[in-house]
Amino acid sequence: MKALVYEGPGAKSLQERPMPVIESSTDAVVRIVKTTICGTDLHILKGDVSSCLPGRILGHEGVGVIAETGAGVTQFKKGDRVLISCISSCGKCENCRRGMYSHCATGGWILGNTIDGTQAEYVRIPHADTSLYAIPDGADEDALVMISDILPTGFECGVLNGKVQPGGTVAIVGAGPVGLAALLTAQFYSPAHIIMVDLDENRLEVAKRFGATHTIKASGEDAAREVMALTGGCGVDTAIEAVGIPATFELCQEIVAAGGIIANVGVHGAKADLHLEELWSHNIAITTRLVDTVTTPMLLKTVQSGKLEAGKLVTHRFALDQILDAYETFGSASSTGALKVIIECASPTSAGLANQELNMTGHGETTAVETRSGLVFDVRAARPDDEAALAEFFRHVAPEDLRYRFLGSIREVSHERLADMLRVEHGRTESFLAFAPEGTPIIGAAMLVCEEGLGRAEVAISVRSDYKHKGVGWELLRHVSAHAQVMGVKVLESLESRQNHEAIELERQQGFTASPYPDDPTLVLIRKNLKAD
């Protein structure tokens, strides 16, 4: 499997690694669907986290599908969609019984730290029953990735430890993803003022949109002076440090009010001065915490209800193959505007194509696919003995069931065209069929036609009427796109109905562009560049 591996300070690479296996009866192996990069991963790459040794697969956030469970796992089974917590907890040791899961005797923050993490196609999760959460049907997976770590971190380490109160004044130093997560969740308690401090104007603009009442672009004494001016010289009731460097921790000491709290959230890789000569008489409290994820169930419900729009923290998307580019984008946030990046792992179908499990003649093995709606079906290349089943399939397909269309005069996938393909060896045309589980007849058909030289290819897809709106066409498009990329096709094109707004947005997320189709105002041209220049 592909995995992002830490090779020592300043060094990382995308490598092929063995698949994880069950090591304990309470383990689960999860196929990663979406993961992300955390600021803590950048701290590891700087050498700030001594417990993470070279050779470790990084990452501690994500959502996925259970691929295998140990005999002792009772809450989950193969095929379940799950949220992965950044903290692994046994639920039984003394610290877990105190709700301090981050210090579990056999868990804590181990993923991507002391055991292999989630920036890979698969990951082993210890203590699966108490370290995974079932994903509700129809949940926004992008938003759920934010619940793996940054939302509970900002909330527990910043807002709860900082004892944010109605009518209080809060300053958040650092408008990165965790600082913004603290901003979003601080609003649960209706503070009168939330002041965001950062050097990045773009992030401060985002903070305004997310609910900050004031933003300050300044450092050192200038920032302290502005905060004190905004608070009538008193300082803030809660100062949340969300960066992890000495200067920002010292700034929090300068702006905290008498009787206030400094809530440290940032990961510190160097010592920071504590000015007790100034603070000894100020009745302040300083808190530190490693996120315990005790609030994950509540946050999951809040996100699911739409009360907390966690998905708006996502700014960029990459495939796992592009994870080095994702790190570059995330690490250069001041120039790229990145907040959180989503890393999407290929479906089993696409992964199989990338590993050439489906051979180039189009007669490969059957692979399983799961749609966003939870439907599981199989995909394989069409064979000559499929002709009768295809004829039956097209008796259940109406013209309006065409999901993707060829450009020009060829408007549909038809039994006749597919049958002709199966009878004649055509090196530049291939077809694929989708089958529902347990012997159900064909539910979808896709045809890929490539021009000479593989500069461009077109795809058309039909879906059986009673399987519309279940993600079959979309997953077939992903499958064909991955197959075309393996073939060496440079550009893939198709026509999509202008009315399929949700599908068009999904296509954009997967790298397709959508533009008006001049020959038919009811259609849009979708296009994806598969090969870099």
Side-chain angles (χ1 to χ4, degrees):
M1 68 171 187
K2 291 183 176 65
L4 192 283
V5 179
Y6 171 60
E7 298 180 324
K12 61 188 179 299
S13 63
L14 185 63
Q15 299 180 11
E16 284 291 332
R17 282 297 190 89
M19 288 274 293
V21 296
I22 299 294
E23 297 180 11
S24 169
S25 63
T26 56
D27 289 351
V29 173
V30 176
R31 173 175 62 82
I32 296 295
V33 174
K34 294 183 180 182
T35 184
T36 187
I37 302 170
C38 182
T40 308
D41 298 321
L42 300 186
H43 279 285
I44 290 173
L45 288 166
K46 291 177 183 176
D48 291 347
V49 183
S50 60
S51 55
C52 186
L53 301 177
R56 179 68 59 225
I57 296 173
L58 296 184
H60 49 268
E61 302 160 271
V63 296
V65 178
I66 299 284
E68 186 180 1
T69 59
V73 176
T74 61
Q75 301 301 306
F76 301 99
K77 65 183 183 303
K78 183 177 180 179
D80 286 349
R81 297 166 64 233
V82 291
L83 165 68
I84 299 168
S85 174
C86 64
I87 298 296
S88 302
S89 60
C90 71
K92 299 176 181 178
C93 71
E94 181 179 354
N95 284 333
C96 284
R97 287 177 180 271
R98 295 165 59 195
M100 201 161 63
Y101 303 145
S102 61
H103 292 273
C104 173
T106 53
W109 175 39
I110 54 177
L111 283 176
N113 179 12
T114 59
I115 68 171
D116 286 338
T118 60
Q119 290 171 11
E121 293 180 283
Y122 291 84
V123 63
R124 179 180 69 89
I125 304 296
H127 306 306
D129 278 345
T130 45
S131 304
L132 297 172
Y133 296 85
I135 294 179
D137 290 339
D140 180 348
E141 290 180 341
D142 288 358
L144 295 185
V145 174
M146 305 302 105
I147 305 178
S148 284
D149 182 359
I150 66 165
L151 276 172
T153 295
F155 185 49
E156 294 175 15
C157 305
V159 176
L160 294 185
N161 267 17
K163 296 184 179 177
V164 174
Q165 299 291 328
T169 302
V170 180
I172 303 172
V173 181
V178 172
L180 292 171
L183 167 62
L184 289 172
T185 54
Q187 293 170 69
F188 290 165
Y189 296 95
S190 302
H193 301 290
I194 306 178
I195 305 166
M196 187 67 77
V197 182
D198 202 283
L199 293 173
D200 188 320
E201 288 185 350
N202 175 65
R203 288 188 166 184
L204 292 175
E205 284 298 318
V206 172
K208 287 180 182 177
R209 296 200 303 271
F210 284 12
T213 58
H214 303 83
T215 59
I216 295 174
K217 182 192 176 185
S219 62
E221 294 180 1
D222 290 339
R225 193 159 39 244
E226 289 193 49
V227 171
M228 297 306 285
L230 286 171
T231 58
C234 295
V236 295
D237 301 310
T238 302
I240 297 174
E241 196 288 324
V243 180
I245 60 174
T248 51
F249 183 72
E250 292 191 31
L251 174 59
C252 287
Q253 296 177 62
E254 294 179 48
I255 62 176
V256 67
I261 297 174
I262 298 173
N264 184 83
V265 183
V267 178
H268 288 267
K271 69 179 184 68
D273 290 336
L274 175 60
H275 292 285
L276 283 176
E277 76 280 6
E278 299 288 341
L279 297 173
W280 70 270
S281 62
H282 279 46
N283 293 43
I284 69 160
I286 299 175
T287 67
T288 67
R289 187 172 184 174
L290 182 58
V291 62
D292 292 303
T293 66
V294 291
T295 62
T296 297
M298 179 276 288
L299 292 170
L300 188 59
K301 293 176 183 177
T302 307
V303 168
Q304 183 67 4
S305 70
K307 301 293 186 182
L308 181 59
E309 298 179 87
K312 61 187 182 181
L313 289 161
V314 177
T315 56
H316 293 73
R317 300 175 187 279
F318 298 87
L320 182 60
D321 286 343
Q322 302 169 305
I323 194 167
L324 295 177
D325 294 333
Y327 263 92
E328 180 66 24
T329 298
F330 185 68
S332 304
S334 60
S335 58
T336 63
L339 292 175
K340 289 296 280 186
V341 301
I342 289 290
I343 312 296
E344 299 198 55
C345 293
S347 68
T349 301
S350 300
L353 284 164
N355 290 308
Q356 307 226 350
E357 292 172 6
L358 296 174
N359 63 40
M360 298 313 298
T361 62
H363 297 284
E365 300 176 355
T366 298
T367 51
V369 177
E370 181 178 11
T371 71
R372 291 167 65 94
S373 66
L375 173 69
V376 177
F377 64 91
D378 295 325
V379 177
R380 65 163 170 80
R383 302 191 298 247
D385 59 1
D386 289 322
E387 186 171 343
L390 277 167
E392 173 65 20
F393 165 72
F394 278 102
R395 279 195 283 272
H396 296 273
V397 176
E400 59 269 21
D401 301 323
L402 192 66
R403 277 293 285 112
Y404 298 94
R405 315 178 185 198
F406 287 128
L407 283 66
S409 60
I410 303 171
R411 290 299 208 194
E412 61 183 341
V413 181
S414 66
H415 170 228
E416 290 74 19
R417 284 189 54 76
L418 284 171
D420 287 344
M421 273 182 45
L422 299 177
R423 295 191 191 101
V424 179
E425 186 67 28
H426 195 314
R428 295 180 295 109
T429 304
E430 300 187 41
S431 61
F432 301 92
L433 304 178
F435 299 84
E438 301 174 357
T440 302
I442 297 170
I443 62 172
M447 183 190 300
L448 176 70
V449 177
C450 308
E451 67 179 17
E452 292 288 351
L454 300 178
R456 189 178 68 93
E458 296 180 29
V459 58
I461 297 172
S462 284
V463 177
R464 184 171 160 142
S465 300
D466 46 349
Y467 280 85
K468 288 176 65 176
H469 310 302
K470 295 186 178 181
V472 176
W474 166 238
E475 292 298 337
L476 278 173
L477 180 64
R478 283 169 61 101
H479 179 99
V480 171
S481 177
H483 189 87
Q485 188 164 18
V486 171
M487 291 176 66
V489 171
K490 295 180 177 61
V491 176
L492 182 66
E493 295 180 335
S494 189
L495 293 176
E496 167 72 278
S497 170
R498 187 183 293 274
Q499 302 303 314
N500 290 336
H501 303 295
E502 182 178 358
I504 291 169
E505 178 58 30
L506 287 173
E507 289 149 12
R508 286 196 177 103
Q509 292 175 14
Q510 292 299 321
F512 285 88
T513 61
S515 57
Y517 185 58
D519 294 349
D520 188 336
T522 68
L523 302 174
V524 295
L525 170 65
I526 62 168
R527 191 174 193 270
K528 184 175 185 179
N529 292 318
L530 302 178
K531 301 286 284 185
D533 293 334

